[in-house]
Each structure stands twice: as C-alpha cells, then as structure tokens.
Amino acid sequence: MARKTTQFRQLLNSGGIEFLLEAHDGMSARIVEEAGFKGIWGSGLCISAAMGVRDNNEASWTQVLEVMEFMSDATSIPILLDADTGYGNFNNVRRLVKKLEQRGVAAMCIEDKLFPKTNSFIKGETQPLADVDEFCGKIKAAKDTQADADFCVVARVEALITGQGQDEALRRADAYQRAGADAILIHSKKPTAEEILAFMGEWRDTLPVVIVPTTYFNTPPEVFAQAGISLVIWGNHLMRASITAMQLTAARINRDRSLSGVEQEIATVKEIFRLQNAQELAQAEERYLPAH
Ligand code: SPV
Ligand code: MG
C-alpha cells in the first residue's frame, strides 16, 4: 500500500472528485475508514468538541497532536489535519510539520486567520484575516520543512467568510498558490453554493480546490464535480451524529432507570471489541504468552 502522504496526494490530483469525512478520535477515524472513505478530515471543531472545549485553540497543539497519533495508528487511510492557523507563526508551523510527519499525518490545512482562531460560523464577518505575506511565509516554511515530498499543505482562504468578496479571495488563493500550497480550500458559510461556484468560475489555475459544504449541504455532489472541485470535506457529521445518539440514550436511561429500552438501539459491547481489534491481541497472546 502506498504511503499515506502519497495516497492523499493522489486523492487531491485524481482528476475527479473525492470525499473526506470528519473524525475526532481513534474510534471515529476507524469508522470512517470502514465506511469506505479514502481519507479523513481531522476537524478542529470536532476534536475540540470531543474534549469538551471550544474551537478557539483552547486545546493546545500538542493535545491535538496526541489525538492525531491515535487516529493515525487506528487507520490506514490518510488524514488531513485541520491545523487552524498553524498555532503560531512560521516557526510554530515548521515544528508542527515535523511532528505531523513523525506521527503519520499525511497533510495539513492552515487558514489565513489569526491565533487564537474562532470557528468560521461564529461571527465570521468580524474575524481578522492574516496578512497575505505573513501567511505565504507560513506556507513556504511548511513546504521547506517537510521531509516527505508528498506531504501536502492545503491553504484555506477565509475571505468569503469575512465578507471581503471574490476579488480578495482570488487574490489570496493566487498568492498562496505562488507560495507553494498544494491545494486551496475555499470556505463559505452561505446556504447555497453560489459563491463557491463563482469562485470556481474565476479560478483558472491548476491547483486543486477543496470545499467544506456544511451550510450548503443541499447542493448535489455532481454540481461540485462539474465545477472542477477536487475534494469535498463532510466536516462535522460523525460528531453531530454521536451527539444526537448520546443525548437520546442518556435521556432515556435517566428517565427509565433501566437499560432495557436502549439495549437494542446501541452498539453491542462485542462491537466495541471488534472495532478495537481485540481479536489480534487474543492471537498474539496465543503466540507470545507461555502456555499453561
Ligand atoms: C472544522 O471542521 O473544524 C473546520 C470547518 O474548520 S468549519 O467548522 O466549517 O470551520
Ligand atoms: Mg476548523
């Protein structure tokens, strides 16, 4: 099997449209792979939510790194980490790239905002953008640091989120391409894909484009494919699904003071063991533990 970095680069450059699904820990990452996805989005929103903190860099970057290591160890498909702003300046980005490569993370996405960031769906218009040259320095620093030529840096443009318009989005995407980014993520919080499609109409460059259609979820994937989008990220849906499942289950157990109502609705304990690959340990015990 190709290196995870190579797998991710192939996804970006497949010539067609590919899809990543969000995961936020080892278990959810394994579930994404089992479902048949070819790659995983390490969502900053969902990783922080799983920790019970906000998407404002309240979790430290090494805490995120620890989660990434569990996710990477649990899977054989590539992970694109949502690395927010890179957790500092170019120098923090350099160290981040080194550590991500050591832990088997195939790619990272950095966004042109300021540390500490705020989620794009919280008062997006009021969020300050990074200076273009400063952000280009981060991209260059990342590309100069990576040891594996296939490690990918996705540059995320937030100009549409902050309401600065297409010209600014295109100016930034162009600068990030020239700085060496491997792909552009153009983000939008509109309920339709209109501004994304308008961006694609102007973006005549060769760099692959990545989108996160959380708010324009009704757009059929064929529309994205026709627009020339390379990678679609389903950004937060395992976290949201698990929140609903946990809320319903907690309320029911509390109300019934009994497990009988939920037992048929939830995964078995055996299913947990299967997902943890308990079988492999049983076989290893046969092999390595002394027989009694
Ligand atoms: C994330 O999943 O953390 C993202 C996408 O960055 S968004 O929440 O839309 O900003
Ligand atoms: Mg994020």
Side-chain angles (χ1 to χ4, degrees):
M1 171 129 1
R3 297 197 308 279
K4 288 179 177 178
T5 49
T6 310
Q7 288 181 50
F8 186 79
R9 188 171 285 286
Q10 285 166 353
L11 279 184
L12 265 187
N13 297 297
S14 71
I17 192 163
E18 301 285 354
F19 302 88
L20 305 184
L21 179 61
E22 165 266 322
H24 47 271
D25 57 17
M27 177 65 79
S28 55
R30 185 159 282 170
I31 287 170
V32 172
E33 178 167 8
E34 268 198 356
F37 283 89
K38 295 186 209 157
I40 298 168
W41 170 242
S43 158
L45 170 64
C46 299
I47 291 168
S48 55
M51 292 175 178
V53 298
R54 289 167 288 221
D55 190 13
N56 293 73
N57 299 120
E58 290 182 344
S60 72
W61 75 276
T62 55
Q63 288 173 322
V64 173
L65 194 64
E66 289 281 298
V67 175
M68 295 314 294
E69 184 169 19
F70 279 108
M71 287 171 56
S72 179
D73 285 348
T75 51
S76 63
I77 55 175
I79 302 171
L80 169 61
L81 170 64
D82 169 12
D84 294 342
T85 59
Y87 316 113
N89 73 0
F90 81 92
N91 193 38
N92 304 89
V93 166
R94 292 198 298 185
R95 189 158 166 78
L96 175 66
V97 169
K98 218 169 144 182
K99 293 289 141 188
L100 290 178
E101 287 197 299
Q102 286 170 357
R103 308 226 180 170
V105 177
M108 71 165 190
C109 176
I110 49 174
E111 64 197 36
D112 56 358
K113 296 203 300 214
L114 304 184
F115 178 91
K117 57 72 61 77
T118 298
N119 186 272
S120 301
F121 300 139
I122 298 177
K123 293 196 274 184
E125 331 57 53
T126 65
Q127 295 188 22
L129 290 182
D131 174 77
V132 174
D133 291 336
E134 195 262 343
F135 193 71
C136 286
K138 282 185 185 175
I139 297 168
K140 284 183 195 149
K143 295 309 292 176
D144 287 345
T145 300
Q146 68 186 64
D148 181 330
D150 283 342
F151 182 87
C152 286
V153 176
V154 178
R156 168 165 159 179
V157 176
E158 288 282 285
L160 301 180
I161 294 289
T162 60
Q164 297 192 26
Q166 291 293 343
D167 288 351
E168 182 64 10
L170 287 159
R171 183 178 82 89
R172 284 175 173 265
D174 181 59
Y176 305 160
Q177 170 167 33
R178 280 185 282 111
D182 298 287
I184 297 296
L185 190 159
I186 181 73
H187 202 18
S188 167
K189 59 186 166 79
K190 290 274 161 49
T192 71
E194 220 170 296
E195 68 180 8
I196 292 293
L197 299 179
F199 177 90
M200 292 307 292
E202 296 291 326
W203 181 251
R204 303 189 196 289
D205 296 81
T206 52
L207 221 49
V209 173
V210 184
I211 59 167
V212 191
T214 301
T215 56
Y216 46 103
F217 55 84
N218 272 329
T219 311
E222 300 75 43
V223 173
F224 299 142
Q226 272 160 22
I229 284 155
S230 299
L231 194 60
V232 175
I233 294 173
W234 310 127
N236 44 46
H237 300 80
L238 291 194
M239 171 52 72
R240 288 165 60 190
S242 63
I243 286 173
T244 302
M246 288 192 285
Q247 285 170 331
L248 290 171
T249 305
R252 182 133 191 208
I253 294 174
N254 186 45
R255 189 193 66 204
D256 295 353
R257 298 185 182 197
S258 163
L259 301 175
S260 63
V262 301
E263 182 61 28
Q264 302 307 316
E265 311 294 322
I266 59 180
T268 60
V269 174
K270 264 200 184 135
E271 175 62 359
I272 303 178
F273 295 154
R274 188 190 67 78
L275 285 160
Q276 289 171 311
N277 202 4
Q279 196 194 353
E280 189 278 334
L281 178 56
Q283 284 163 357
E285 284 170 347
E286 292 277 318
R287 192 177 164 112
Y288 299 119
L289 284 180
H292 290 294

